[in-house]
Amino acid sequence: MTTAYATDGVRIRDCTPADLDVVHELHVDAVLHTTAIWQDEPWPRLWFDGWLAERRAAGLPVFVAEVDGQVAGYVSYGPFRPHDGYRHTVEHSVYVVPAFRGRGIASELMRALVAHARQQDLHVMMAGICSTNTGSIALHERLGFTVVAVLPEVGRKFDRWLDLTLMRLPLS
């Protein structure tokens, strides 16, 4: 199990099945109320059991941030694209429980994830962010990601077209 401790009381650890209720709640909120996930209907809670098992079997990380015994957010990465030529590039997701936002949780999660990716000798980490999510774009810039493209109107949600900002972090 990977465990790291941040100086501000945030514990980063591997996600367990007991954490998946919070992961599911974050997913539902993101799907129904934000443009963080370009999906119309959330996946059911049971779906996440298979998701975590598949991630573990593939050696892919899923970390949670814990503050005072409560799960405050999660982060993971997976393949950027399905073809072999992309095997050294990953794309990540990071979500924080609303009550814990603005406290550096996402930064702590991302630092742990980037460290893991570097230990795996990966070459690049990508982020695909809705262009209106300026907070997430700023977070990624603070972590060293750079904007490499903005794809206009490639998604649609809430009856409007959405632009996708692609950001890149070299790992090696």
Side-chain angles (χ1 to χ4, degrees), residues 116-136:
H116 183 277
R118 286 187 169 129
Q119 290 170 354
Q120 301 302 308
D121 291 325
L122 293 168
H123 185 64
V124 171
M125 184 175 287
M126 296 294 296
I129 304 168
C130 184
S131 297
T132 60
N133 191 343
T134 56
S136 184

Side-chain angles (χ1 to χ4, degrees), residues 32-107:
L32 296 181
H33 304 291
T34 78
T35 56
I37 300 175
W38 294 0
Q39 185 175 324
D40 294 330
E41 296 296 326
W43 291 312
R45 166 59 185 82
L46 187 58
W47 183 89
F48 286 91
D49 293 316
W51 171 79
L52 183 59
E54 288 173 8
R55 293 273 165 148
R56 284 181 171 173
L60 297 171
V62 181
F63 299 138
V64 296
E66 189 177 280
V67 177
D68 297 327
Q70 290 185 287
V71 174
Y74 80 96
V75 67
S76 185
Y77 66 67
F80 174 61
R81 305 225 24 218
H83 309 292
D84 292 340
Y86 296 101
R87 68 185 163 275
H88 302 287
T89 301
V90 292
E91 183 175 5
H92 78 280
S93 297
V94 59
Y95 295 95
V96 176
V97 172
F100 291 98
R101 290 181 187 154
R103 295 171 52 179
I105 305 289
S107 295

Side-chain angles (χ1 to χ4, degrees), residues 23-24 33:
V23 171
H24 178 247
H33 304 291

